[in-house]
Amino acid sequence: MALSILETDSLYKEEEFHPKIVKIPMVLLQRPLSWNSSMVRLTYPSFRLLLYLEWLLLATAMFMEVLLPFELSWSLPLRVVAIATFSLMGLRLPMVKLETKLLYTALEFGLILLPTTQHSLSSRSVFLLCLVLVMRSCLVFKQSGQLLVLGLSLLTYGTLLLSRPIVPKNFMPDLIAMSWDWRLSNILLFSLTLVFALLLINALLAERQSREQLEIAHQQLEITNQQLCQYALRIEDQATLQERNRIAREIHDGLGHTLAAQTIQINNTLLFWESNNHKALTFLKQAKQLGAEALLEIRRSLSVLRSNPLLGQSLKSAIEKLLTDFQQTTGIEPSCKIDLPHTLPTEVNTALYRIVQESLTNICKHAQATSVTVGLLAHAGMIHLSIEDNGKGFNPTQNTTGFGLQGMRERAVALGGQLNLHSQLGTGCCISVSLPLSKLAYDSDFIS
């Protein structure tokens, strides 16, 4: 038993964990408590105490056979050799093959029975050797094997004790009865001792396995914590990138739109400054108003980047105001048809509003159109938005890197929809957006 524990400890040292992260399967944490001899280590005080106890029991058995009482006879070397061999067998316990374990245990029983059959080994030594045998069985066998070894040990000791004659035979009946009572009491004490030893060692093994599983769980928690930290960093980086893109869209759609309209008004002012002072003054006042709105937009963006651009208005009212401002800026009277029988969530209203706003800004800056049509309606489980003009058009494959088109497409995709752009040189442009109602989070009156 001594070497078995020491060897187990050496195996742990040889296979010591390297200072790197090792992923431990969760199945190790979900296994029920079961016997595992490799858990036994000399570094644990409980098992070190059992080792010392085994040495003490074997030394006591050797001492009693040699000195209590001391007598030179042919059986003394047999007893000494049997106990010494029994002790040396504990230096290496079988841990793998069942056949080896059974042969090992049979040899141990043979070393106990061989001198016993010659009436040379005392019952006290048999008591101690059987106790050591049961202790070793706890480290070799599972529960069924342990119970079998316990039963055979009890049978061996009981047979030995009850089969020895009472000498001399002319004892008084009371003394014979007392002798039998002593034998039965001794067998009962021996059985209780074996059961106690069996329960104690199994409890220590279970406690040791619990410690191992706690260590594994601790390592798993450390690994999980590191993985969560890495995931958190990735999510933080992704969230930062998304926030940057969102801020870029907000600046482009809000402040960019206002400054673009202001630039157009200033150009109109310069264009009519000499020919029509009254009209130029009107354009200049509008440019001033747009400058004030741009300043307000900057302050609003700095205070709350996620503010609702509709400012409490309905989507229909906000789009109609955009079209009115567009008409005042460009002189083009747009055609508009909005049919939304339901109330949409704020993020959907904001996305649709920004797409219309960006589209009108692009028409105002680049299209040179004379007719603009805006349509927004819900049909067949979809929300359809279209902005169409009769301007000069462009090649979509050569105009896909700007913030405007990219921002509109990102807004549509974020809501589970898609944006399609159709344009050719000289034929105008049509932007269509489709959002599935099934993927949108509606307000309560929309659901009803």
Side-chain angles (χ1 to χ4, degrees), residues 127-413:
F127 185 105
L128 299 178
L129 294 179
C130 288
L131 179 58
V132 172
L133 180 57
V134 172
M135 293 171 59
R136 291 177 180 175
S137 70
C138 294
L139 304 177
V140 175
F141 294 103
K142 296 183 180 179
Q143 186 175 7
S144 57
Q146 296 171 17
L147 295 176
L148 179 60
V149 173
L150 186 146
L152 292 176
S153 300
L154 183 58
L155 180 62
T156 300
Y157 182 74
T159 302
L160 169 65
L161 203 60
L162 297 177
S163 62
R164 290 190 172 179
I166 301 176
V167 180
K169 296 183 178 180
N170 55 357
F171 273 174
M172 297 177 57
D174 293 340
L175 295 178
I176 295 176
M178 290 178 59
S179 176
W180 280 105
D181 289 341
W182 175 85
R183 293 184 181 189
L184 295 176
S185 300
N186 204 348
I187 293 174
L188 178 60
L189 177 62
F190 177 71
S191 62
L192 294 177
T193 303
L194 293 184
V195 172
F196 175 77
L198 185 68
L199 295 177
L200 175 62
I201 297 177
N202 278 280
L204 293 177
L205 288 173
E207 185 267 344
R208 177 67 186 95
Q209 185 173 10
S210 298
R211 287 177 177 267
E212 284 288 333
Q213 292 187 344
L214 286 176
E215 291 176 2
I216 293 175
H218 180 68
Q219 294 176 1
Q220 181 67 28
L221 287 176
E222 289 183 350
I223 295 173
T224 304
N225 183 48
Q226 294 178 2
Q227 292 177 345
L228 288 176
C229 291
Q230 295 175 359
Y231 294 155
L233 291 177
R234 294 179 184 177
I235 293 174
E236 182 179 358
D237 293 340
Q238 185 177 3
T240 302
L241 181 61
Q242 291 178 350
E243 184 66 12
R244 289 175 179 173
N245 293 335
R246 190 193 65 81
I247 293 174
R249 289 197 304 266
E250 291 293 334
I251 293 176
H252 182 273
D253 295 345
L255 183 61
H257 168 77
T258 304
L259 292 179
Q262 185 185 43
T263 300
I264 295 174
Q265 297 299 337
I266 293 176
N267 290 334
N268 291 335
T269 300
L270 295 175
L271 182 64
F272 292 99
W273 179 256
E274 295 181 354
S275 61
N276 192 339
N277 292 336
H278 179 72
K279 194 171 184 178
L281 180 61
T282 302
F283 287 132
L284 184 61
K285 290 180 179 179
Q286 292 178 357
K288 179 182 178 182
Q289 178 64 28
L290 290 173
E293 292 180 2
L295 180 61
L296 182 62
E297 181 71 20
I298 292 175
R299 291 175 178 175
R300 188 185 302 117
S301 299
L302 292 177
S303 60
V304 183
L305 290 175
R306 297 183 180 274
S307 60
N308 181 9
L310 276 67
L311 298 177
Q313 305 177 80
S314 66
L315 180 60
K316 182 178 181 180
S317 300
I319 292 178
E320 289 176 349
K321 184 177 185 302
L322 276 178
L323 296 177
T324 301
D325 295 340
F326 176 81
Q327 181 179 359
Q328 293 177 355
T329 301
T330 63
I332 302 173
E333 183 177 358
S335 173
C336 177
K337 181 179 181 180
I338 299 177
D339 184 12
L340 287 177
H342 308 296
T343 302
L344 299 175
T346 302
E347 59 271 16
V348 179
N349 290 333
T350 301
L352 294 174
Y353 175 85
R354 290 301 192 190
I355 291 174
V356 173
Q357 184 186 53
E358 175 60 24
S359 300
L360 294 177
T361 300
N362 289 337
I363 293 173
C364 185
K365 291 168 61 177
H366 308 294
Q368 299 179 7
T370 59
S371 173
V372 176
T373 302
V374 177
L376 178 61
L377 54 92
H379 176 70
M382 301 287 291
I383 296 178
H384 299 281
L385 170 65
S386 63
I387 305 98
E388 186 175 359
D389 67 81
N390 64 347
K392 63 181 183 179
F394 63 95
N395 186 354
T397 61
Q398 299 178 359
N399 295 271
T400 59
T401 58
F403 274 113
L405 293 176
Q406 181 180 353
M408 288 191 291
R409 183 170 287 107
E410 289 177 353
R411 291 182 185 276
V413 172

Side-chain angles (χ1 to χ4, degrees), residues 69-87:
F70 177 76
E71 56 181 22
L72 293 176
S73 62
W74 65 270
S75 63
L76 179 59
L78 177 61
R79 288 176 287 169
V80 172
V81 170
I83 296 178
T85 305
F86 185 89
S87 303

